[in-house]
């Protein structure tokens, strides 16, 4: 059907994206993208979602794909648009999220004139270490789009960037392209599986560290069986892209963010088996501290790399070492509703007590959320999306994407005040699209994590001027007003009772809500 | 004094920056920058200014240097921090603004582990086509800092980026470095000056296009003398970094943003003389339209490139062709205060009528500001800073930097609603530093410029879905609430009388204010 009418490049692009299964495009367009925007009316299957800032666009694409299991497209305006979106693309890269960027560029013949918006898009896109192609001719745009979708989804998933010159977009003679099947995850060979089984049965202290797709039900169940049968320790990677949790699933503890925690968790092991992740390293270097967190002298064994079929590999191991063993499943159980002024300890109990069924938690609570996993362990089954790349400002945009991917699931965004301000305009898109997102801002008036880090790095002279630079409470941020200014209803909670009442109401009502929760800093 | 005590790398860096004249550091730090933050207490001459987002940091550095005439430093957190700051660094690059970026990176020995925040900082920094260096050792940090300051200021000015590994920062044995004199602008040779004088006296139609430092008093006066003596046309570049205007200065019209305008302005000329800028090109390409705006067949003559001493070159030409001619100075004159509902036509008259003495206008009014130059031509002398690189979201951060560079001058930020939302948290820094910035948001609920561009690019089928993607009024943005949420007092104006009353009051009171002005879109 689409081949009988004449298409311009933009139309062939959008048609091919839709045919390849990409039917949401998070967008912040400019002049060079106007033909793409115009083409949306000719391919109604494509849903354009507008954001006011490119970091929201790219974060939303990350959140969408983590939940939908397929990529969204982004529409970005030349190099500055990519720059604004780069931090959340970095997080997507670290999450192995498939993303298809479409970046408009000047017309091919216009680039030589070094117009004001000219910049080296290719170099910046290349820094994402994914897939980059520049569409040279209108007739190639469709094929390039199909290739981009496949590249994004080639196991384990990556950021694919298609640079679209304006004349390739507006030119006539666009050709659609049939979907290209992406490369599926490779199966782990039997020798490796056997070798890992041998390590597990060695009698020596072993830890199993899982990541990537192993953090979902099949991988968790296989891991739990292995643990139950062999008595080894098991951990999930510190920042999984998507971790399934809650009653009825195995509860696999995450490796701690702080090197001190992780070293404690891994203390005494002689073998570390990694499946879908790498041997753990410290998030940052600290003077006099080692970068590697695996105990000295312990051997690291790779069961599966992130591009392989990790759950199947774990199941194959379980078949050898735990053939008759059932996984240990977390029973239901919620904290009691606390009372009194909000604290780092009690606000998580409110969430644990009231988390709705089938929720998606987007967790950027940072220091305020240290106690969250324990409080939600026995809550109804839910997904947790985490900050995979350390570039803060991921939470609100990822919540946008998650809510668009799963419109029937409640999205709970637990968000630090400092992190929230990087991409705060995501609230506007939540209002515009009437997304069912409940945001709880943990408002402690500080870059609390940096207060801690200032001590941890052993920086001498943490005097008043240094401390002042980590204080974001001068002036206070009033997230109620900020949210209302962007069309999201909001309330302020200072006690556990208020948070409970407001959270219950926010979750019950459709559409976005924000709760500005006055939780004092950890330090 | 600083050499007798032991310094760590961060201390040697900050001390060297201060010795080199860089004493403001716009900052958004993370863990890898904690030693830099701690070192602020040991070098009290360095003023750390916190922002909640890196686009504010880099835009503020741009605005600061445009007004102060010397660079500020930025403090950014690894690759994602640079990414978030990239759009406003792009604008700074296009403005030839000297900026000294300090980007914290992982410790040298930690990079091999590909920790979550690892990314290719060098590639992204390199895209700015300025100066990039990675400090390898603590003892080199001071010398690298001095080199960065010089590189930033080498005529015509550029973005210099120093990548600072955490261990180079925290290591002991830092050495300060004496300031390195930057490369001054080259003088234009007498032959070129004579040749340009000949063109001016050829009797053929000539236009003179000035840019860069020629947009300040000396260059404007020389240009005006040339115009008065020879009758040629003269224009300032479309987007000057800093244009001096108002009563008592020559009023040199800017070349229009729209290609149609610029072609009209240059119609019929046989010679285009450029001084401190290049022959003009269309901001974007449009189907069937030429990229170059110089009339076909006209010759382009270069009097001075942007790295040369442009005002001196114009004065040398004026000495030949206009020895006895005085410049034509704009007389004082203000519009009458208008009344009635706000329009694109009348809001600029309010500004023109009430602009305070010695103001700095940061202009990101975009389509709403088309009539601004005429309305302010006879206002008291002022500076206008413009969007040099086309990456929107520059205005609010640049206002921060301008206000810190010139604390005794009123800063007036005329800001489009869409553009404001990219870097809205600049308001918080304005409140924190109690900056004398009056922001007028032109709130038309639309990406109005894109509505126009959708027509101009000849995009077929500008249907409802396309139009919806350019509509930012669903929901309305309430900038009063948003500003108040960040600590900036704000009011809403719907009539010219209200705008006048609120603007007068905002300018009279110290500290930041915001006016949410309901100005309907141009189209």
């Amino acid at each position: 059907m689409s081949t009988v009418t004449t298409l311009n490049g933009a139309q062939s692009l959008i048609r091919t994206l839709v045919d390849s299964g990409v039917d949401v495009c998070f967008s912040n367009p400019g002049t060079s993208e106007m033909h793409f925007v115009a083409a949306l009316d000719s391919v109604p299957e494509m849903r354009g979602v507008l954001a006011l800032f490119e970091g929201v666009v790219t974060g939303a694409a990350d959140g969408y794909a983590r939940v939908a299991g397929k990529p969204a497209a982004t529409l970005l305006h030349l190099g500055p648009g990519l720059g604004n979106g780069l931090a959340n693309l970095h997080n997507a890269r670290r999450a192995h999220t498939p993303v298809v960027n479409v970046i408009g560029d000047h017309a091919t013949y216009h680039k030589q004139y070094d117009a004001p918006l000219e910049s080296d898009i290719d170099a910046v896109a290349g820094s994402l270490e994914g897939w980059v192609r520049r569409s040279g001719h209108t007739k190639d745009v469709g094929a390039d789009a199909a290739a981009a979708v496949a590249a994004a989804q080639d196991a384990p998933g990556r950021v694919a960037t298609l640079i679209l010159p304006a004349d390739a977009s507006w030119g006539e003679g666009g050709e659609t392209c049939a979907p290209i099947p992406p490369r599926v995850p490779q199966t782990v060979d039997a020798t490796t599986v056997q070798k890992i089984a041998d390590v597990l049965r060695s009698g020596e202290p072993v830890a199993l560290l899982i990541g990537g797709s192993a953090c979902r039900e099949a991988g968790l169940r296989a891991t739990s069986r292995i643990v139950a049968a062999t008595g080894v320790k098991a951990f999930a990677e510190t920042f999984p892209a998507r971790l399934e949790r809650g009653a009825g699933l195995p509860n696999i503890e995450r490796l701690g963010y702080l090197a001190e925690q992780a070293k404690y968790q891994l203390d005494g092991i002689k073998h570390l088996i990694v499946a879908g992740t790498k041997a753990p390293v410290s998030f940052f270097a600290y003077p006099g501290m080692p970068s590697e967190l695996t105990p000295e002298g312990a051997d690291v064994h790779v069961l599966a790399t992130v591009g392989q079929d990790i759950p199947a590999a774990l199941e194959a191991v379980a078949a050898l070492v735990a053939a008759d063993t059932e996984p240990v499943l977390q029973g239901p159980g919620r904290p009691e509703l606390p009372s009194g002024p909000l604290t780092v300890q009690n606000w998580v109990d409110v969430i644990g007590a009231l988390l709705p069924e089938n929720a998606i938690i987007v967790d950027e609570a940072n220091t305020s959320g240290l106690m969250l996993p324990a409080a939600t362990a026995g809550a109804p089954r839910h997904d947790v999306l985490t900050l995979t790349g350390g570039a803060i400002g991921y939470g609100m945009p990822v919540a946008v994407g998650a809510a668009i991917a799963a419109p029937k699931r409640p999205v709970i965004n637990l968000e630090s005040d400092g992190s929230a301000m990087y991409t705060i305009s995501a609230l506007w898109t939540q209002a515009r699209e009437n997304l069912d997102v409940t945001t709880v801002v943990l408002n402690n008036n500080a870059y609390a994590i940096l207060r801690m880090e200032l001590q941890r790095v052993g920086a001498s002279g943490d005097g008043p001027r240094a401390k002042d630079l980590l204080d974001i409470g001068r002036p206070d941020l009033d997230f109620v007003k900020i949210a209302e200014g962007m069309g999201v209803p909001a309330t302020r909670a200072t006690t556990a009772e208020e948070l409970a009442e407001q959270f219950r109401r926010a979750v019950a009502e459709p559409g976005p809500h924000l709760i500005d929760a006055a939780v004092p800093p950890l330090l």
Side-chain angles (χ1 to χ4, degrees), chain A:
Chain A
M1 182 185 88
S2 58
T3 50
V4 293
T5 51
T6 305
L7 302 176
N8 66 20
Q11 291 165 331
S12 72
L13 170 56
I14 300 178
R15 170 52 60 197
T16 300
L17 290 175
V18 166
D19 289 350
S20 302
V22 177
D23 54 11
V24 172
C25 182
F26 298 100
S27 308
N28 187 256
T31 299
S32 39
E33 290 74 54
M34 281 302 101
H35 285 86
F36 185 106
V37 170
L40 287 173
D41 282 284
S42 67
V43 190
E45 300 94 326
M46 177 63 83
R47 177 177 179 186
V49 178
L50 182 61
L52 297 176
F53 174 67
E54 296 89 345
V56 178
V57 167
T58 55
D62 183 10
Y64 175 90
R66 291 197 206 186
V67 171
K70 65 176 189 174
T74 72
L75 182 63
L76 302 170
H77 185 47
L78 298 108
L82 173 59
N84 283 336
L86 200 63
N88 273 331
L89 290 172
H90 169 86
N91 290 324
R93 170 168 83 93
R94 291 290 175 183
H96 302 287
T97 303
V99 175
V100 177
N101 291 323
V102 178
I103 304 181
D105 194 8
H106 285 307
T108 50
Y109 60 84
H110 195 65
K111 289 187 73 65
Q112 63 184 304
Y113 298 106
D114 195 35
L117 274 162
E118 178 68 30
S119 71
D120 193 346
I121 301 173
D122 308 71
V124 177
S127 77
L128 291 163
E129 298 177 356
W131 179 98
V132 182
R133 186 178 293 178
R134 180 176 278 281
S135 251
H137 299 284
T138 297
K139 68 176 174 44
D140 300 331
V141 169
D144 291 340
V149 177
Q153 296 184 97
D154 279 348
R158 63 185 51 69
V159 177
T161 299
L162 184 62
I163 303 170
L164 182 67
D167 51 344
S169 179
W170 76 49
E172 292 296 326
E175 297 174 12
T176 60
C177 179
I180 299 172
R183 195 170 60 222
V184 297
Q186 289 175 300
T187 304
V188 172
D189 62 85
T191 312
T192 301
V193 169
Q194 183 62 56
K195 196 186 119 205
I196 295 298
D198 293 344
V199 172
L200 287 163
R201 290 185 290 212
S202 66
E204 294 195 304
V206 175
L208 170 59
L209 179 64
I210 63 170
S213 57
C215 295
R216 300 186 58 184
E217 182 166 7
L220 297 171
R221 290 181 66 95
T223 300
S224 178
R225 290 171 59 207
I226 294 168
V227 168
T230 65
V232 304
K233 296 180 184 179
F235 303 98
E237 62 187 334
T238 308
F239 293 109
R242 179 176 177 179
L243 175 65
E244 293 188 335
R245 291 186 87 236
L249 285 171
N251 180 13
I252 307 294
E253 188 185 2
R254 283 158 61 186
L255 203 66
Y257 162 72
L258 298 176
E260 296 87 332
Q261 289 174 279
K263 289 183 86 68
Y264 174 79
Q265 290 169 306
L266 299 177
D267 188 40
I269 65 161
K270 296 289 180 201
H271 301 276
L272 177 69
I273 299 169
V274 291
T277 184
K278 295 182 297 185
V281 296
S282 181
F283 205 86
F284 292 105
Y286 300 92
M289 304 266 283
S291 293
E292 295 177 282
L293 301 177
T294 310
E296 216 177 303
D299 294 325
V300 175
H301 309 270
V302 178
L303 169 59
T305 62
V306 70
Q308 293 183 302
D309 190 340
I310 317 160
L314 287 164
E315 284 169 348
V317 170
L320 292 182
V321 304
D324 302 320
T325 309
E326 290 296 311
V328 178
L329 305 182
Q330 170 72 46
R334 291 175 180 267
E336 286 189 23
L337 273 175
S339 63
L342 285 172
T343 66
V344 169
Q345 287 76 28
N346 70 13
W347 80 269
V348 296
D349 285 348
V350 175
I351 306 301
L354 301 177
L355 191 74
E357 301 275 337
N358 205 22
I360 298 168
I361 294 179
V362 179
D363 179 16
E364 196 172 27
N366 303 348
T367 54
S368 297
L370 284 178
M371 323 258 178
L372 183 70
T376 51
R381 183 169 163 156
H382 59 279
D383 285 283
V384 180
L385 314 185
T386 80
L387 176 54
T388 50
I392 58 175
Y394 108 104
M396 289 184 161
V398 164
V400 166
I404 286 178
K408 293 184 180 163
R409 298 181 63 181
V411 175
I412 312 297
N413 175 206
L414 307 175
E415 187 65 38
S416 293
D417 49 0
S419 299
M421 290 304 294
Y422 288 74
T423 48
I424 189 77
S425 75
L427 292 172
W428 180 85
T429 300
Q430 292 177 15
R432 179 178 168 94
E433 301 288 335
N434 198 32
L435 303 179
D436 196 13
V437 178
T438 298
T439 302
V440 180
V441 175
L442 295 319
N443 190 344
N444 58 25
N445 298 323
Y447 283 136
I449 198 163
L450 295 184
R451 286 191 188 170
M452 184 174 73
E453 293 289 51
L454 189 62
Q455 300 174 15
R456 289 181 73 227
V457 299
S460 58
D462 52 340
R465 302 176 78 240
K467 283 183 178 149
D468 186 55
L469 216 60
L470 310 181
D471 169 18
I472 63 173
R474 183 167 65 77
D476 279 353
L477 288 160
D478 181 340
F479 284 96
V480 173
K481 282 190 170 167
I482 293 171
E484 288 177 350
M486 298 189 201
V488 170
T491 52
R492 169 113 177 137
T494 60
T495 66
E497 291 89 337
E498 287 170 357
L499 178 61
E501 189 268 331
Q502 292 169 18
F503 185 79
R504 197 182 268 127
R505 188 151 39 91
V507 166
E509 286 178 8
H513 297 79
L514 181 141
I515 301 168
D516 186 2
V519 175
L522 187 65
L523 294 172

